[in-house]
Amino acid sequence: MIMGIHEIKQNENLKKIIAPYFNTLKRDDKSELYTAQIKMLDYYELGCVITNMLKMCVLTLDQDKQKILDTNKSSINVALILEMVLEMFPLEEFELLSKINQLVITDS
């Protein structure tokens, strides 16, 4: 299918708009992996790793919950905050970013 001039301009404009936002992950030219301090397959995997780290923190804090409460009655409930972060974490958006990023890379 041949793209018209309008579609080509839209595609170029989209690339210009989103280019500054795809800086978290760097593509390794030798593979299809991305790098953000550690190798990731895509933004979705990064989101899963972050989510699992937060879950691990919540579980660890819950094991020591009584000790934390006994030590400092006015302490911040870190487990609650982490649970809220997990609820707000935009995992679907990370999947969308991966799909958009693949479209941009494929068109480049």
Side-chain angles (χ1 to χ4, degrees):
M1 184 171 137
I2 300 174
M3 288 179 48
I5 294 172
H6 181 68
E7 288 87 5
I8 292 171
K9 286 191 178 233
Q10 281 182 331
N11 193 17
E12 289 172 359
N13 287 338
L14 179 60
K15 285 182 183 181
K16 287 179 186 174
I17 291 169
I18 65 174
Y21 298 100
F22 287 106
N23 297 317
T24 303
L25 298 177
K26 304 292 182 196
R27 186 164 182 161
D28 183 355
D29 294 333
K30 298 175 186 172
S31 69
E32 293 186 15
L33 297 176
Y34 294 81
T35 303
Q37 297 294 348
I38 56 173
K39 298 251 179 174
M40 296 285 162
L41 181 62
D42 54 22
Y43 280 90
Y44 185 72
E45 184 179 12
L46 174 62
C48 289
V49 169
I50 294 169
T51 301
N52 283 304
M53 287 179 180
L54 290 171
K55 287 178 183 177
M56 180 183 65
C57 291
V58 169
L59 290 174
T60 302
L61 288 170
D62 278 346
Q63 289 178 354
D64 296 329
K65 194 172 190 176
Q66 190 58 44
K67 192 186 306 181
I68 292 170
L69 290 174
D70 290 343
T71 306
N72 188 354
K73 299 288 182 192
S74 64
S75 66
I76 296 171
N77 189 341
V78 178
L80 176 62
I81 292 169
L82 290 173
E83 288 170 5
M84 290 174 59
V85 170
L86 281 171
E87 290 295 319
M88 296 184 299
F89 195 81
L91 207 51
E92 291 81 14
E93 285 81 352
F94 273 85
E95 186 174 14
L96 175 62
L97 285 173
S98 291
K99 290 177 183 179
I100 292 170
N101 194 28
Q102 279 303 110
L103 288 172
V104 171
I105 289 171
T106 303
D107 290 343
S108 296

